[in-house]
Amino acid sequence: MIVKRIHNLDLFRAAAIILVVFYHVTQMLFSGTSLNPQLYNWGKYGVELFFVLSAFLIGGLFYKQRTSVNLFKFWLQRVLRTYPPYLIALFVSFASVYFARGETFDLGFLVFFQNFYQEIPYFLVSWSLCVEEHFYLFFPLIVFISEKFIKKLYFQLGFWIIIAALPTIFRICFGDVHQEEFGFTKTASIFRFDGIALGCLLSFLVYRVRLNIKFSFFHQITILLMVVGAFYINVVFEKSFLSYCFGYTFLSLSLFFLVALLYYASPMAISKRKFIGILASMAYSIYLTHALTIHFVVKVASIFSLSPLIASLLAYVIIFVVGYCFYHLIEKPSLRLRNFLLEERKINYYKTLPLLEQCYQLFSISDRKNNT
């Protein structure tokens, strides 16, 4: 299926990867300097942009095909899309820590369980990919339940709102803002799927309810102020319990409105720039490779006594080059393999996989006669 690119959302994705890379470069290369962390900590919330956008786009694809969805094929598509590049990046990351400090391999990384550890031992950036992979696994089942057993659209809307509120409840009841290690209460999916749930809610409103919104200039300014305010609250009050419990929710909600605004708005001139499209396409490859690249630059900066500023500029260049190479050598071939394997005339799931055919019959979402 050919998916029409939405330039404004490409800009949103490009902004997300820029924020994440900026945060990690500045955090690692300016460590030990007098630079105030609040000047760059806002970059780490770029992952929330990825959560909202990914859920909206994947949710949209799912809702468009909801009358004839094959869950097995949906899951296989997502595995073949994300898993091969992830395995390559994981292997390189593990090899580096194995030779550097004799780290042993953790099998939890193969099933995306590392974000539930009290402390993630290596390849720390993979925690957010774990959250997304858990979304790919459970989202279709949630849609199936809501479509099968909840007949009214406004009840389904309430269902999604309840799901979106669950991470806040989990953080209030089970979270720990004072945990020092980078793991569990900061990374576990149950605490961090606010953006995922709200992205799904937006896809439900756009593709299921067929909501069509026109944003006035006042609405646009209000949304932008919400986004800025949400970033400010999360950065300045990061250590507070209230910010930990409600900050992610407020930020994800503001991004919910921002994605809706960008989706319905006419394409902005900057979003049509070729570089934005390239950066958006390479976002996954850059995400997988940038942390290890920064570690390499840290070593180089130490050997040659480079200033943090020069080292940072060098890091940005190398991150782009490595991401570009990874995209063309690993990610794109992986996508071509996926498309080849899943082409209907090359694989007929219903004839070759009788057991999975039964699962398909069980989970396929049939079109309702009385569409509310």
Side-chain angles (χ1 to χ4, degrees):
M1 182 178 66
I2 298 175
V3 180
K4 182 180 178 182
R5 295 192 73 89
I6 302 173
H7 293 294
N8 284 346
L9 298 187
D10 276 349
L11 178 61
F12 190 87
R13 187 191 298 276
I17 193 62
I18 289 172
L19 284 172
V20 171
V21 169
F22 168 77
Y23 168 68
H24 286 133
V25 167
T26 311
Q27 177 199 41
M28 296 176 67
L29 290 171
F30 283 85
S31 176
T33 69
S34 59
L35 186 65
N36 188 339
Q38 289 187 357
L39 295 176
Y40 59 85
N41 272 354
W42 47 271
K44 67 181 173 182
Y45 297 104
V47 293
E48 306 302 325
L49 278 72
F50 278 121
F51 288 161
V52 176
L53 182 62
S54 295
F56 174 64
L57 294 176
I58 299 301
L61 290 175
F62 198 88
Y63 270 116
K64 283 186 220 177
Q65 305 174 60
R66 69 183 184 83
T67 59
S68 58
V69 159
N70 178 346
L71 278 192
F72 169 76
K73 185 176 180 181
F74 174 83
W75 281 322
L76 191 57
Q77 282 176 331
R78 302 326 306 165
V79 168
L80 293 176
R81 170 68 182 91
T82 60
Y83 205 65
Y86 166 75
L87 280 181
I88 299 296
L90 174 62
F91 172 78
V92 175
S93 180
F94 168 70
S96 65
V97 295
Y98 174 77
F99 288 110
R101 59 176 187 252
E103 188 77 51
T104 57
F105 185 71
D106 192 311
L107 293 176
F109 279 84
L110 295 178
V111 291
F112 298 104
F113 191 70
Q114 62 266 34
N115 67 322
F116 279 89
Y117 293 163
Q118 185 70 18
E119 183 175 8
I120 302 175
Y122 52 89
F123 203 14
L124 272 62
V125 297
S126 64
W127 76 267
S128 56
L129 180 60
C130 295
V131 178
E132 293 207 19
E133 291 300 317
H134 300 157
F135 151 64
Y136 297 143
L137 177 62
F138 292 107
F139 165 74
L141 300 177
I142 294 173
V143 173
F144 169 75
I145 292 171
S146 65
E147 292 283 323
K148 187 74 174 178
F149 300 105
I150 305 176
K151 304 303 181 182
K152 301 292 184 180
L153 280 181
Y154 50 83
F155 285 151
Q156 290 187 28
L157 175 62
F159 178 73
W160 277 115
I161 291 174
I162 291 172
I163 290 177
L166 286 178
T168 305
I169 296 172
F170 291 148
R171 287 194 296 270
I172 292 172
C173 297
F174 310 110
D176 180 10
V177 68
H178 301 297
Q179 178 180 314
E180 293 297 329
E181 303 90 351
F182 185 73
F184 191 58
T185 61
K186 298 177 181 177
T187 61
S189 300
I190 60 172
F191 298 119
R192 295 300 302 271
F193 70 89
D194 311 72
I196 296 283
L198 286 168
C200 292
L201 173 59
L202 182 58
S203 69
F204 170 78
L205 292 172
V206 171
Y207 298 106
R208 185 71 175 86
V209 179
R210 305 291 183 182
L211 194 64
N212 192 7
I213 307 173
K214 294 190 180 298
F215 293 93
S216 67
F217 179 73
F218 172 77
H219 293 143
Q220 295 174 28
I221 295 299
T222 302
I223 291 171
L224 291 177
L225 289 175
M226 279 184 63
V227 173
V228 172
F231 272 95
Y232 178 82
I233 289 172
N234 277 278
V235 170
V236 175
F237 303 102
E238 181 181 16
K239 301 296 183 181
S240 75
F241 180 73
L242 285 177
S243 178
Y244 170 74
C245 293
F246 300 101
Y248 296 126
T249 309
F250 182 36
L251 177 58
S252 298
L253 186 61
S254 67
L255 295 174
F256 166 94
F257 288 112
L258 182 58
V259 170
L261 172 61
L262 293 173
Y263 176 79
Y264 287 110
S266 300
M268 292 181 286
I270 188 175
S271 69
K272 295 181 179 180
R273 297 289 183 182
K274 186 176 181 180
F275 178 74
I276 295 298
I278 292 173
L279 201 57
S281 299
M282 291 168 45
Y284 184 48
S285 290
I286 293 175
Y287 160 81
L288 288 174
T289 59
H290 78 278
L292 192 59
T293 303
I294 298 171
H295 281 290
F296 168 76
V297 174
V298 169
K299 296 289 186 183
V300 171
S302 175
I303 293 172
F304 294 97
S305 301
L306 300 179
S307 69
L309 180 59
I310 298 299
S312 296
L313 295 176
L314 179 64
Y316 291 127
V317 172
I318 298 179
I319 285 169
F320 182 84
V321 171
V322 171
Y324 182 87
C325 294
F326 192 90
Y327 175 70
H328 285 280
L329 296 177
I330 305 297
E331 187 178 354
K332 281 189 75 173
S334 174
L335 286 171
R336 287 195 292 267
L337 177 62
R338 180 199 66 174
N339 295 338
F340 174 82
L341 292 176
L342 296 183
E343 197 172 341
E344 289 292 343
R345 61 178 175 269
K346 295 188 180 297
I347 288 186
N348 189 323
Y349 297 100
Y350 314 117
K351 291 182 180 179
T352 60
L353 302 171
L355 180 60
L356 292 172
E357 179 185 3
Q358 298 176 29
C359 297
Y360 167 77
Q361 295 296 334
L362 175 64
F363 290 115
S364 287
I365 303 174
S366 60
D367 194 14
R368 295 197 298 270
K369 295 181 180 179
N370 299 320
N371 193 0
T372 306

